[in-house]
Amino acid sequence: MQRLIPTLAERSAWLKEHVIGGAAQIFSADAQMLATNTPIVTVAETNGPSTNPLPIPYGNGKVKVTAIAQIGTGTGVTAVQVRIRRNINAENVVVGFVNNVAAAASAQIAVPVEFTDQVGDGRSVQYTVTVQQVGATGNGTISAGTTIDAMVMSG
């Protein structure tokens, strides 16, 4: 005779594989938007908005970071570089970037960046969008409305 009803152990294993173990748990999140334009001095890397510090529970996890840099390019610009830095006031490491996006001089562009950062220690993390112009002879702007958001998940 064929058994149609799964045992408790079979149901538990299925739940663990398909529901519990199949999705990350979200611990915290933050989103920030630049309220006013920030000048980019010719080819200097310039800070845009930063998230608030986010705790990493249980000593490790992953953080999904999304940013959209709204940029007004300066004269002479041929490209822009958008970076995401972790803990800009501490180790200041680049964890995500879009390198050399072609851009016309004196133009408005939007550059999206999205990535997942694997964090292996329990320190809080903070993320900052930075923009650098390539070939600029005049100042540009990181425009109001530039956004960054980060979501801390189990890793």
Side-chain angles (χ1 to χ4, degrees):
M1 177 156 82
Q2 183 178 348
R3 184 171 46 97
L4 299 176
I5 300 172
T7 66
L8 180 59
E10 290 168 336
R11 284 183 286 182
S12 294
W14 186 91
L15 280 172
K16 184 176 182 184
E17 180 181 345
H18 293 93
V19 179
I20 300 168
Q25 182 177 357
I26 299 170
F27 295 114
S28 61
D30 187 44
Q32 298 296 322
M33 183 173 72
L34 193 63
T36 59
N37 291 347
T38 299
I40 304 170
V41 178
T42 59
V43 295
E45 184 177 7
T46 303
N47 296 345
S50 294
T51 64
N52 288 309
L54 298 165
I56 304 293
Y58 310 118
N60 65 32
K62 59 188 172 192
V63 184
K64 181 177 181 280
V65 180
T66 304
I68 300 176
Q70 307 285 343
I71 304 164
T73 61
T75 56
V77 169
T78 58
V80 295
Q81 298 174 344
V82 178
R83 297 178 185 91
I84 306 295
R85 292 183 173 272
R86 181 186 339 123
N87 296 336
I88 202 158
N89 295 318
E91 72 265 21
N92 192 23
V93 64
V94 174
V95 293
F97 64 92
V98 178
N99 203 19
N100 294 329
V101 175
S106 304
Q108 269 303 125
I109 64 170
V111 180
V113 181
E114 184 173 64
F115 65 95
T116 301
D117 182 25
Q118 198 70 38
V119 181
D121 58 37
R123 293 179 300 146
S124 290
V125 292
Q126 182 178 32
Y127 295 92
T128 303
V129 177
T130 70
V131 177
Q132 187 170 13
Q133 301 182 117
V134 177
T137 55
N139 295 347
T141 58
I142 302 174
S143 302
T146 293
T147 59
I148 185 167
D149 58 84
M151 180 173 38
V152 177
M153 299 174 273
S154 57

